[in-house]
């Protein structure tokens, strides 16, 4: 861990919110990515990501530096996101809604419009397909894709074995391939 | 924040099954409490008078209880113990042609519910239902006898 | 023994993640050199992975820090109400695995309480000094009845005395004429 980050954490442990703002600025996007991957809904993801930083600050005295600060933070985020999904059990977003979003966004296209449209469409369809997985399957696929975590690290975060992580990933990828078909 | 799940699923299932097994276990024990085979009922008949101070060594254990009743002299006339079945009468002869009929009704929360009837010949004097702590007692007093009054110590204990 | 395409495809994800053992990884690598179908599967998996990362990165890049931090700071500033904290605590403590252990623990404690009565009869009575005999009903059949309960000596007394009201004759036994306490 960087010394400066540890200094910031120690300040936070004394209640320094300004020091915490620096840490939050460093990690908020990564946390948001993980949570958005799992929740799909932008507002929900914002809510859970903010709650993650709030909870982390309230419990920062429990952080002893055994892992990196970000590892600690994303564990909170993943568990909050799983918990949020189990409580909300929101309906699955349908593709039509995503298509509207894709069409609106075509106004901001670059030099290769066909490829960009297709990539964006794939991205949106991918998020919608992930949204149909169970919270546990979402968690493994997002943690692997976004953070590139090893199966061991994913297993530690979710409280399951490496074998379970492997089988969940295999299942999730298979499901996503089925849903996305020709887009891949 | 949601607690991290640390137990493998198989262990979780085993713990749940164990919980269910344990949840079913108290039933026979609860039944055992109700299923006490019977009650040992003991009646101590004490004559209380205002004669000169006297002491009966057999009543030493009850000394404090008897002090609540303001007589000067207490004498244990008779003591009788009977095993009574639930919802069955146990009859005790009391001096003066009286009889005491005790019926254990229920055992719950470490208390024995006793239905007690004091008769003078065929004439009822008192009918009462008292919930006595297991191995505890209560006193029933007042009937006149030989220049004093009779006090009945009625105690009950499950077997 | 060489594996068929289905088996190799089932290992591709773990291989791309670098989670296969050396011999299995070598086997997959060798198979991919001569199998167009599995190479296509590998490309799809890679695209899946990269697409997810890039779409999330694109969305996250649009998120400005200021509004995000404002929400966090507001939460920090506002002390959560006690019931919200209680709910959070209950959620954390009563998670399914802990609950699975809590249920037998509670049952064991209850059983232990019941068992104490078997081994030490009357222990509850001994603990509770106010545990007196309780009179549920009394019918004096014409006698007056007085009831005394004294917790100090754990004494309950039902006292009978004759009702002299309206009687002309005097009692030969004055001690039975009234309550003795």
């Amino acid at each position: 861990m960087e010394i400066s980050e540890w200094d910031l954490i120690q300040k936070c442990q004394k209640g320094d919110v300004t020091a915490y703002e620096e840490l939050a600025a460093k990690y908020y996007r990564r946390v948001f990515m993980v949570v958005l991957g799992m929740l799909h809904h932008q507002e929900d993801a914002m809510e859970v990501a903010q709650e993650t930083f709030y909870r982390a600050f309230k419990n920062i005295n429990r952080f002893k530096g055994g892992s990196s600060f970000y590892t600690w933070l994303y564990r909170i985020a993943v568990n909050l996101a799983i918990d949020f999904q189990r409580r909300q059990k929101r309906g699955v977003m349908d593709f039509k809604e995503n298509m509207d979003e894709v069409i609106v966004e075509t106004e901001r296209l670059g030099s290769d419009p066909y490829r960009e449209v297709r990539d964006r469409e794939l991205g949106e369809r991918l998020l919608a397909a992930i949204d149909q997985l169970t919270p546990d399957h979402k968690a493994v696929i997002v943690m692997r894709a976004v953070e590139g975590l090893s199966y061991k690290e994913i297993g530690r975060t979710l409280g399951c074995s490496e074998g379970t992580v492997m089988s969940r990933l295999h299942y999730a990828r298979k499901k996503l391939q089925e849903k996305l078909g020709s887009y891949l | 924040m949601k607690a991290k799940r640390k137990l493998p699923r198989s262990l979780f299932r085993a713990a749940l099954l164990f919980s269910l097994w344990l949840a079913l276990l108290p039933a026979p024990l609860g039944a055992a409490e109700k299923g006490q085979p019977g009650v040992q009922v003991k009646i101590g008949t004490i004559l209380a008078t205002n004669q000169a101070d006297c002491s009966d060594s057999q009543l030493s254990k009850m000394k404090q209880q008897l002090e609540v009743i303001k007589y000067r002299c207490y004498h244990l006339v008779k003591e009788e113990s009977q095993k009574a079945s639930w919802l069955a009468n146990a009859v005790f002869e009391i001096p003066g042609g009286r009889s005491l009929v005790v019926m254990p009704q229920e055992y719950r929360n470490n208390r024995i519910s006793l239905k007690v009837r004091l008769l003078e010949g065929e004439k009822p004097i008192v009918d009462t239902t008292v919930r006595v702590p297991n191995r505890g007692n209560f006193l029933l007093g007042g009937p006149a006898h030989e220049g004093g009054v009779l006090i009945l110590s009625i105690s009950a204990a499950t077997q | 023994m060489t594996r068929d395409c289905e088996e190799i495809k089932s290992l591709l994800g773990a291989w791309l993640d670098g989670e296969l053992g050396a011999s299995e990884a070598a086997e997959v690598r060798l198979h991919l050199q001569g199998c167009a179908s599995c190479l296509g599967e590998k490309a799809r998996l890679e695209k899946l992975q990269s697409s997810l990362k890039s779409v999330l990165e694109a969305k996250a890049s649009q998120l400005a820090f200021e509004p995000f931090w404002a929400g966090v700071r507001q939460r920090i500033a506002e002390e959560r109400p006690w019931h919200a904290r209680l709910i959070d605590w209950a959620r954390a403590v009563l998670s399914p695995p802990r609950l699975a252990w809590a249920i037998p623990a509670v049952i064991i404690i209850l059983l232990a309480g019941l068992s104490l009565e078997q081994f030490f009869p009357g222990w509850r009575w001994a603990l509770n000094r106010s545990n007196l005999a309780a009179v549920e009903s009394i019918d004096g059949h014409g006698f007056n009845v007085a009831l005394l309960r004294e917790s100090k000596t754990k004494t309950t007394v039902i006292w009978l005395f004759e009702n002299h009201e309206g009687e002309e004759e005097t009692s030969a036994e004055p001690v039975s004429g009234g309550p003795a306490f």
Side-chain angles (χ1 to χ4, degrees), chain B residues 107-141:
Chain B
Y107 180 52
R108 189 156 48 90
N109 297 334
N110 199 40
R111 283 168 175 262
I112 302 161
S113 188
L114 294 178
K115 187 171 171 57
V116 177
R117 297 183 76 206
L118 181 62
L119 302 161
E120 200 165 58
E122 295 294 312
K123 182 188 162 197
I125 299 174
V126 69
D127 267 306
T128 182
T129 303
V130 182
R131 294 185 65 224
V132 189
N134 194 8
R135 296 169 196 274
N137 77 331
F138 75 98
L139 304 178
L140 173 62

Side-chain angles (χ1 to χ4, degrees), chain B residues 39-50:
Chain B
V39 175
Q40 196 68 34
V41 181
K42 191 162 93 175
I43 308 295
T45 306
I46 301 154
L47 179 64
T49 60
N50 277 325

Side-chain angles (χ1 to χ4, degrees), chain C residues 75-120:
Chain C
R75 283 164 201 254
I76 292 171
E78 288 171 4
E79 186 55 40
R80 290 159 70 78
W82 67 269
H83 49 84
R85 278 182 281 137
L86 184 69
I87 290 167
D88 289 344
W89 176 84
R91 276 211 189 100
V93 172
L94 302 178
S95 60
R98 287 191 188 185
L99 203 59
W101 293 109
I103 294 168
V106 167
I107 294 168
I108 285 167
I109 290 166
L110 286 174
L111 284 175
L114 289 172
S115 307
L116 273 178
E117 185 55 38
Q118 306 254 327
F119 296 108
F120 307 103

Side-chain angles (χ1 to χ4, degrees), chain A residues 28-29 51 54 144 151 173, chain C residues 17 19 60 63 75 80:
Chain A
Y28 82 102
R29 280 198 173 124
E51 186 69 12
Y54 163 72
R144 179 64 215 168
Y151 292 3
R173 283 168 170 158
Chain C
D17 294 336
E19 298 276 353
L63 181 66
R75 283 164 201 254
R80 290 159 70 78

